[in-house]
Amino acid sequence: MQLEGTIKSVTFHSPDSGFSVFRVNVEGERAPVVVTGTFPDLRAGETLKMEGEWGNHPKYGKQFKCTGFEIVAPKNNNITEYLASGLFKGIGQKTAEAIVKVFGEDTADILDNHPDLFRKAKIKGFTAKKVENFLAAWQLNRRSRETMLFLGNHGIAGSVARRLWNQYAEDTIAKITENPYILCEEVWGIGFLKADEIAMKVGIAKDSPVRLQAAIMYVLQESSFSEGHVYLPKNILLEKTIRNLRIPMEDDDAINALLEQFETLCRVERIRRVDDDCFYPPLFRAEQSIADSIRYRLQANALPTKGFERDLISWEHNHKFAFDPIQRQAIEMALAHRVSIITGGPGTGKTTILKGILHLAQKMDESVFLAAPTGRAAKRMGDLCGIPARTIHRMLEMDPITGKFSFNAENQLHCDLLIVDEFSMVDTLLAAALLAAIPYRTRIVFVGDADQLPSVGPGNVLNDLIRCPGIPTTRLMHIFRQSGDNDIAEKAAKINQGILPSPIEGPNFHFIPFEEPEQAKAILAGLLATGIRSKISIDQKTELQILTPMRKGPLGVFELNTYLQGLMNPGIPRHSIRGVAWSDGDRVMQIKNNYDKNVFNGDVGIIFKVAKDSEKVTIFYDDKTVEYEGDEVDQLTLAYASTIHKSQGSEYPAVIVILDSSHYMMLQRNLVYTAITRAKGHVWILSAPE
């Protein structure tokens, strides 16, 4: 069935999936029609020709379910609404009416095909510069809509479609038609199967070398940047590729063709092969660079540490504290060697050791840099150590446009001592960049908990370095911090060893079982209402963090954040921007590094003001206020709940960890351990039965 109408209002639009709900004016219908389907980011005034069928939603009533559509030029009165929809900067209702008054129902045709007539017209409020800006915006929006329609017809919508437009602009359609596999090689969010589906539509042959090479490279890159592997054995790489291509094992010709393209990729070094291990070249070079740097640093002679004992005793006397022998060993190693490692769980004294190292470095009048992989970890490190700390990216001065670091092997940072905290979060590429930018004379101390989750990116650098026998490493096992009989660190250590604490309930460690997701939500509501404040006095919006392993599902981050928004920020008007309902006072998280705004992936703030009309959101962070407008809002997500991975490098006074039975497939011991150790005051574990 076909339906044509003009969008009256956008009720909902998901920036990720493209799923939308519109109210559409249709000729012959007394009231606007509710239309649902997958669309690009459309505005009021857009006219659509749609294919679909009528349905009846049990809650929302009669709806038209759109399965295909095309965008047509707005006509008559609709053009006024379209021009004033906010798509064109500086064009409000009065200006839109003035334009249509001059050109009438020919307005869209004039703007599309006869822009010189528009330039010659006398329209109130239009200067020559404003005319040119408006015409440029009209043409850009026209081409953008054509591209979005092309992408939508190939099943690509929402934030992925916008990323393609931002990356390739007017060349998007030509590039995808020429080689659809750039979608899985260069654009995050599109897998090989989707690119392959488009390739079949534009006529790429199944045995095309382009297709076979793209399939191999996709598996190799996916294993690195989604699964964290630095390399894949040849047999695993080819087995996964054969599955993706759906090649029958008995089809010798197809498998031989694939093997031929594999050898071609190795020959031209798009794959670096060491025996039967296959590396994505940037990761191969990064691993080699790390190994060379560490090897060279280990060849340096130990530095004299004479006299440090006297200064440490003085520090102990002033602070009424005595270092443990293993802590003294860690301090001496940091002074004596070009590279050393301090590893241990919460409460084992890592911060105390750092204070001792910094005291001695200051006594020797040394220059010291402190760094951590995330903004939250850097802030916590600086607060604990008493001197400023920076993120590694900011210390190396990353160019937000090129993605390259200003400090590198040719332009190195200069300091006597570098201490990097939360090093378990540092992946192979970042570790290589860091080591390249630090001179060999500088002493480097890597600090981290080897039992936590490894980096989200490729590699497991901290654990690999710990396994190197030549690197001086201090393993801290004894838990010192037990103020107020806090049992979190002790119980976390037992869980990490595979031992169920007995009793599991303690003064600061709480365990609550549940059967179904709805019961878990009810328990969560009870904790927020009275349970938490009976144990600890905190601001729940800023000092409590709910953690869950997964993003999707009934107890995943997406659903929990919507549920928690109603509990923790009730009665506040919601404003839909980019498909998300925002409210003043919402807790939000930055999910992408933004060097222009000086906010980074994982930074958490509170919405100060939502301005729906201008699609502007103002966020208050710890030390600054930041404005987001238009597409920038996509860098934000609600943060009442967060994944455990996102919580790395942070500590909170109180943490609630939710472990649903559907999560058990990914519940490794280090994941649970990482979640528990985010809490420094109280932790509640809500767990479903296995």
Side-chain angles (χ1 to χ4, degrees), residues 369-371 390-398 405 407 413 415 418 420 434 438:
F369 287 172
L370 302 184
R390 293 174 286 176
T391 64
I392 297 171
H393 286 82
R394 181 151 294 281
M395 183 177 70
L396 300 183
E397 295 186 1
M398 183 178 185
F405 293 112
F407 289 102
L413 283 164
C415 63
L418 169 66
V420 187
L434 174 66
I438 305 301

PDB file of all heavy atoms in Angstrom, residues 369-371 390-398 405 407 413 415 418 420 434 438:
ATOM      1  N   PHE A 369      56.355  13.589  35.389  1.00  0.00           N
ATOM      2  CA  PHE A 369      55.061  13.611  34.721  1.00  0.00           C
ATOM      3  C   PHE A 369      54.210  12.467  35.263  1.00  0.00           C
ATOM      4  O   PHE A 369      54.701  11.344  35.444  1.00  0.00           O
ATOM      5  CB  PHE A 369      55.208  13.432  33.208  1.00  0.00           C
ATOM      6  CG  PHE A 369      55.763  14.626  32.489  1.00  0.00           C
ATOM      7  CD1 PHE A 369      56.112  14.538  31.145  1.00  0.00           C
ATOM      8  CD2 PHE A 369      55.938  15.841  33.127  1.00  0.00           C
ATOM      9  CE1 PHE A 369      56.625  15.622  30.462  1.00  0.00           C
ATOM     10  CE2 PHE A 369      56.448  16.942  32.467  1.00  0.00           C
ATOM     11  CZ  PHE A 369      56.797  16.829  31.128  1.00  0.00           C
ATOM     12  N   LEU A 370      52.928  12.756  35.506  1.00  0.00           N
ATOM     13  CA  LEU A 370      51.961  11.725  35.876  1.00  0.00           C
ATOM     14  C   LEU A 370      50.938  11.612  34.761  1.00  0.00           C
ATOM     15  O   LEU A 370      50.460  12.625  34.240  1.00  0.00           O
ATOM     16  CB  LEU A 370      51.243  12.072  37.179  1.00  0.00           C
ATOM     17  CG  LEU A 370      52.079  12.302  38.442  1.00  0.00           C
ATOM     18  CD1 LEU A 370      51.148  12.525  39.637  1.00  0.00           C
ATOM     19  CD2 LEU A 370      52.997  11.125  38.699  1.00  0.00           C
ATOM     20  N   ALA A 371      50.576  10.368  34.401  1.00  0.00           N
ATOM     21  CA  ALA A 371      49.620  10.170  33.310  1.00  0.00           C
ATOM     22  C   ALA A 371      48.753   8.956  33.577  1.00  0.00           C
ATOM     23  O   ALA A 371      49.116   8.059  34.347  1.00  0.00           O
ATOM     24  CB  ALA A 371      50.350  10.022  31.972  1.00  0.00           C
ATOM     25  N   ARG A 390      47.789  14.036  33.743  1.00  0.00           N
ATOM     26  CA  ARG A 390      47.089  14.236  32.470  1.00  0.00           C
ATOM     27  C   ARG A 390      46.755  12.887  31.841  1.00  0.00           C
ATOM     28  O   ARG A 390      47.356  11.863  32.173  1.00  0.00           O
ATOM     29  CB  ARG A 390      47.987  15.024  31.498  1.00  0.00           C
ATOM     30  CG  ARG A 390      48.253  16.444  31.904  1.00  0.00           C
ATOM     31  CD  ARG A 390      49.266  17.097  30.979  1.00  0.00           C
ATOM     32  NE  ARG A 390      50.615  16.599  31.228  1.00  0.00           N
ATOM     33  CZ  ARG A 390      51.682  16.952  30.515  1.00  0.00           C
ATOM     34  NH1 ARG A 390      51.547  17.782  29.491  1.00  0.00           N
ATOM     35  NH2 ARG A 390      52.877  16.469  30.805  1.00  0.00           N
ATOM     36  N   THR A 391      45.805  12.916  30.911  1.00  0.00           N
ATOM     37  CA  THR A 391      45.604  11.710  30.114  1.00  0.00           C
ATOM     38  C   THR A 391      46.818  11.531  29.200  1.00  0.00           C
ATOM     39  O   THR A 391      47.507  12.503  28.858  1.00  0.00           O
ATOM     40  CB  THR A 391      44.348  11.805  29.234  1.00  0.00           C
ATOM     41  OG1 THR A 391      44.517  12.848  28.276  1.00  0.00           O
ATOM     42  CG2 THR A 391      43.103  12.056  30.075  1.00  0.00           C
ATOM     43  N   ILE A 392      47.059  10.302  28.801  1.00  0.00           N
ATOM     44  CA  ILE A 392      48.184  10.037  27.892  1.00  0.00           C
ATOM     45  C   ILE A 392      47.993  10.808  26.590  1.00  0.00           C
ATOM     46  O   ILE A 392      48.937  11.397  26.052  1.00  0.00           O
ATOM     47  CB  ILE A 392      48.307   8.528  27.626  1.00  0.00           C
ATOM     48  CG1 ILE A 392      48.625   7.787  28.927  1.00  0.00           C
ATOM     49  CG2 ILE A 392      49.389   8.246  26.581  1.00  0.00           C
ATOM     50  CD1 ILE A 392      48.566   6.269  28.818  1.00  0.00           C
ATOM     51  N   HIS A 393      46.755  10.817  26.082  1.00  0.00           N
ATOM     52  CA  HIS A 393      46.490  11.522  24.827  1.00  0.00           C
ATOM     53  C   HIS A 393      46.799  13.012  24.949  1.00  0.00           C
ATOM     54  O   HIS A 393      47.376  13.609  24.032  1.00  0.00           O
ATOM     55  CB  HIS A 393      45.029  11.337  24.413  1.00  0.00           C
ATOM     56  CG  HIS A 393      44.716   9.973  23.886  1.00  0.00           C
ATOM     57  ND1 HIS A 393      44.457   8.908  24.721  1.00  0.00           N
ATOM     58  CD2 HIS A 393      44.614   9.505  22.618  1.00  0.00           C
ATOM     59  CE1 HIS A 393      44.219   7.837  23.979  1.00  0.00           C
ATOM     60  NE2 HIS A 393      44.298   8.172  22.709  1.00  0.00           N
ATOM     61  N   ARG A 394      46.416  13.613  26.070  1.00  0.00           N
ATOM     62  CA  ARG A 394      46.672  15.046  26.223  1.00  0.00           C
ATOM     63  C   ARG A 394      48.163  15.298  26.448  1.00  0.00           C
ATOM     64  O   ARG A 394      48.710  16.289  25.957  1.00  0.00           O
ATOM     65  CB  ARG A 394      45.848  15.615  27.380  1.00  0.00           C
ATOM     66  CG  ARG A 394      46.054  17.106  27.573  1.00  0.00           C
ATOM     67  CD  ARG A 394      44.863  17.793  28.157  1.00  0.00           C
ATOM     68  NE  ARG A 394      43.715  17.788  27.263  1.00  0.00           N
ATOM     69  CZ  ARG A 394      43.572  18.617  26.219  1.00  0.00           C
ATOM     70  NH1 ARG A 394      44.511  19.506  25.945  1.00  0.00           N
ATOM     71  NH2 ARG A 394      42.496  18.567  25.468  1.00  0.00           N
ATOM     72  N   MET A 395      48.828  14.416  27.182  1.00  0.00           N
ATOM     73  CA  MET A 395      50.266  14.577  27.407  1.00  0.00           C
ATOM     74  C   MET A 395      51.027  14.516  26.085  1.00  0.00           C
ATOM     75  O   MET A 395      51.972  15.282  25.849  1.00  0.00           O
ATOM     76  CB  MET A 395      50.772  13.497  28.361  1.00  0.00           C
ATOM     77  CG  MET A 395      52.246  13.633  28.714  1.00  0.00           C
ATOM     78  SD  MET A 395      52.786  12.384  29.911  1.00  0.00           S
ATOM     79  CE  MET A 395      52.731  10.907  28.890  1.00  0.00           C
ATOM     80  N   LEU A 396      50.618  13.617  25.199  1.00  0.00           N
ATOM     81  CA  LEU A 396      51.283  13.480  23.901  1.00  0.00           C
ATOM     82  C   LEU A 396      50.746  14.470  22.872  1.00  0.00           C
ATOM     83  O   LEU A 396      51.245  14.530  21.754  1.00  0.00           O
ATOM     84  CB  LEU A 396      51.118  12.056  23.367  1.00  0.00           C
ATOM     85  CG  LEU A 396      51.699  10.933  24.233  1.00  0.00           C
ATOM     86  CD1 LEU A 396      51.516   9.586  23.546  1.00  0.00           C
ATOM     87  CD2 LEU A 396      53.171  11.170  24.543  1.00  0.00           C
ATOM     88  N   GLU A 397      49.707  15.237  23.250  1.00  0.00           N
ATOM     89  CA  GLU A 397      49.097  16.270  22.407  1.00  0.00           C
ATOM     90  C   GLU A 397      48.604  15.697  21.087  1.00  0.00           C
ATOM     91  O   GLU A 397      49.183  15.914  20.026  1.00  0.00           O
ATOM     92  CB  GLU A 397      50.072  17.433  22.179  1.00  0.00           C
ATOM     93  CG  GLU A 397      50.395  18.187  23.455  1.00  0.00           C
ATOM     94  CD  GLU A 397      51.235  19.434  23.214  1.00  0.00           C
ATOM     95  OE1 GLU A 397      51.550  19.729  22.036  1.00  0.00           O
ATOM     96  OE2 GLU A 397      51.587  20.090  24.195  1.00  0.00           O
ATOM     97  N   MET A 398      47.482  15.012  21.183  1.00  0.00           N
ATOM     98  CA  MET A 398      46.882  14.427  19.991  1.00  0.00           C
ATOM     99  C   MET A 398      46.176  15.492  19.168  1.00  0.00           C
ATOM    100  O   MET A 398      45.436  16.304  19.688  1.00  0.00           O
ATOM    101  CB  MET A 398      45.882  13.336  20.382  1.00  0.00           C
ATOM    102  CG  MET A 398      45.269  12.615  19.211  1.00  0.00           C
ATOM    103  SD  MET A 398      44.143  11.308  19.754  1.00  0.00           S
ATOM    104  CE  MET A 398      43.732  10.573  18.162  1.00  0.00           C
ATOM    105  N   PHE A 405      49.907  12.142  17.157  1.00  0.00           N
ATOM    106  CA  PHE A 405      50.436  12.805  18.344  1.00  0.00           C
ATOM    107  C   PHE A 405      51.536  13.793  17.968  1.00  0.00           C
ATOM    108  O   PHE A 405      52.402  13.493  17.135  1.00  0.00           O
ATOM    109  CB  PHE A 405      50.992  11.775  19.323  1.00  0.00           C
ATOM    110  CG  PHE A 405      49.945  10.886  19.933  1.00  0.00           C
ATOM    111  CD1 PHE A 405      49.884   9.537  19.630  1.00  0.00           C
ATOM    112  CD2 PHE A 405      49.004  11.400  20.805  1.00  0.00           C
ATOM    113  CE1 PHE A 405      48.919   8.722  20.186  1.00  0.00           C
ATOM    114  CE2 PHE A 405      48.026  10.599  21.369  1.00  0.00           C
ATOM    115  CZ  PHE A 405      47.988   9.254  21.058  1.00  0.00           C
ATOM    116  N   PHE A 407      53.847  14.777  20.101  1.00  0.00           N
ATOM    117  CA  PHE A 407      55.066  14.202  20.674  1.00  0.00           C
ATOM    118  C   PHE A 407      55.189  12.759  20.210  1.00  0.00           C
ATOM    119  O   PHE A 407      54.259  11.961  20.358  1.00  0.00           O
ATOM    120  CB  PHE A 407      55.042  14.288  22.198  1.00  0.00           C
ATOM    121  CG  PHE A 407      55.198  15.686  22.721  1.00  0.00           C
ATOM    122  CD1 PHE A 407      54.110  16.411  23.169  1.00  0.00           C
ATOM    123  CD2 PHE A 407      56.454  16.293  22.739  1.00  0.00           C
ATOM    124  CE1 PHE A 407      54.246  17.706  23.637  1.00  0.00           C
ATOM    125  CE2 PHE A 407      56.612  17.593  23.206  1.00  0.00           C
ATOM    126  CZ  PHE A 407      55.507  18.301  23.648  1.00  0.00           C
ATOM    127  N   LEU A 413      59.016  13.955  24.506  1.00  0.00           N
ATOM    128  CA  LEU A 413      58.806  14.644  25.780  1.00  0.00           C
ATOM    129  C   LEU A 413      60.063  14.519  26.632  1.00  0.00           C
ATOM    130  O   LEU A 413      60.780  13.510  26.535  1.00  0.00           O
ATOM    131  CB  LEU A 413      57.639  14.005  26.532  1.00  0.00           C
ATOM    132  CG  LEU A 413      56.228  14.339  26.068  1.00  0.00           C
ATOM    133  CD1 LEU A 413      55.250  13.323  26.652  1.00  0.00           C
ATOM    134  CD2 LEU A 413      55.839  15.742  26.521  1.00  0.00           C
ATOM    135  N   CYS A 415      61.382  14.500  30.528  1.00  0.00           N
ATOM    136  CA  CYS A 415      61.207  14.514  31.977  1.00  0.00           C
ATOM    137  C   CYS A 415      62.144  13.460  32.555  1.00  0.00           C
ATOM    138  O   CYS A 415      62.650  12.592  31.834  1.00  0.00           O
ATOM    139  CB  CYS A 415      59.759  14.228  32.370  1.00  0.00           C
ATOM    140  SG  CYS A 415      59.170  12.596  31.903  1.00  0.00           S
ATOM    141  N   LEU A 418      58.516   9.344  34.630  1.00  0.00           N
ATOM    142  CA  LEU A 418      57.132   9.259  34.166  1.00  0.00           C
ATOM    143  C   LEU A 418      56.447   8.113  34.903  1.00  0.00           C
ATOM    144  O   LEU A 418      56.942   6.984  34.901  1.00  0.00           O
ATOM    145  CB  LEU A 418      57.068   9.009  32.655  1.00  0.00           C
ATOM    146  CG  LEU A 418      55.692   8.635  32.091  1.00  0.00           C
ATOM    147  CD1 LEU A 418      54.721   9.804  32.224  1.00  0.00           C
ATOM    148  CD2 LEU A 418      55.792   8.182  30.638  1.00  0.00           C
ATOM    149  N   VAL A 420      52.823   6.090  34.993  1.00  0.00           N
ATOM    150  CA  VAL A 420      51.561   5.871  34.279  1.00  0.00           C
ATOM    151  C   VAL A 420      50.687   4.956  35.121  1.00  0.00           C
ATOM    152  O   VAL A 420      51.035   3.793  35.346  1.00  0.00           O
ATOM    153  CB  VAL A 420      51.791   5.256  32.888  1.00  0.00           C
ATOM    154  CG1 VAL A 420      50.461   5.211  32.120  1.00  0.00           C
ATOM    155  CG2 VAL A 420      52.827   6.042  32.107  1.00  0.00           C
ATOM    156  N   LEU A 434      53.264   5.934  23.313  1.00  0.00           N
ATOM    157  CA  LEU A 434      53.807   6.486  24.558  1.00  0.00           C
ATOM    158  C   LEU A 434      55.305   6.231  24.667  1.00  0.00           C
ATOM    159  O   LEU A 434      56.091   7.154  24.918  1.00  0.00           O
ATOM    160  CB  LEU A 434      53.076   5.874  25.751  1.00  0.00           C
ATOM    161  CG  LEU A 434      53.605   6.235  27.141  1.00  0.00           C
ATOM    162  CD1 LEU A 434      53.402   7.714  27.420  1.00  0.00           C
ATOM    163  CD2 LEU A 434      52.917   5.392  28.210  1.00  0.00           C
ATOM    164  N   ILE A 438      58.937   8.932  24.684  1.00  0.00           N
ATOM    165  CA  ILE A 438      59.670   9.114  25.936  1.00  0.00           C
ATOM    166  C   ILE A 438      61.143   8.746  25.728  1.00  0.00           C
ATOM    167  O   ILE A 438      61.452   7.627  25.317  1.00  0.00           O
ATOM    168  CB  ILE A 438      59.074   8.232  27.055  1.00  0.00           C
ATOM    169  CG1 ILE A 438      57.580   8.508  27.221  1.00  0.00           C
ATOM    170  CG2 ILE A 438      59.812   8.464  28.367  1.00  0.00           C
ATOM    171  CD1 ILE A 438      57.234   9.936  27.563  1.00  0.00           C
TER     172      ILE A 438
END
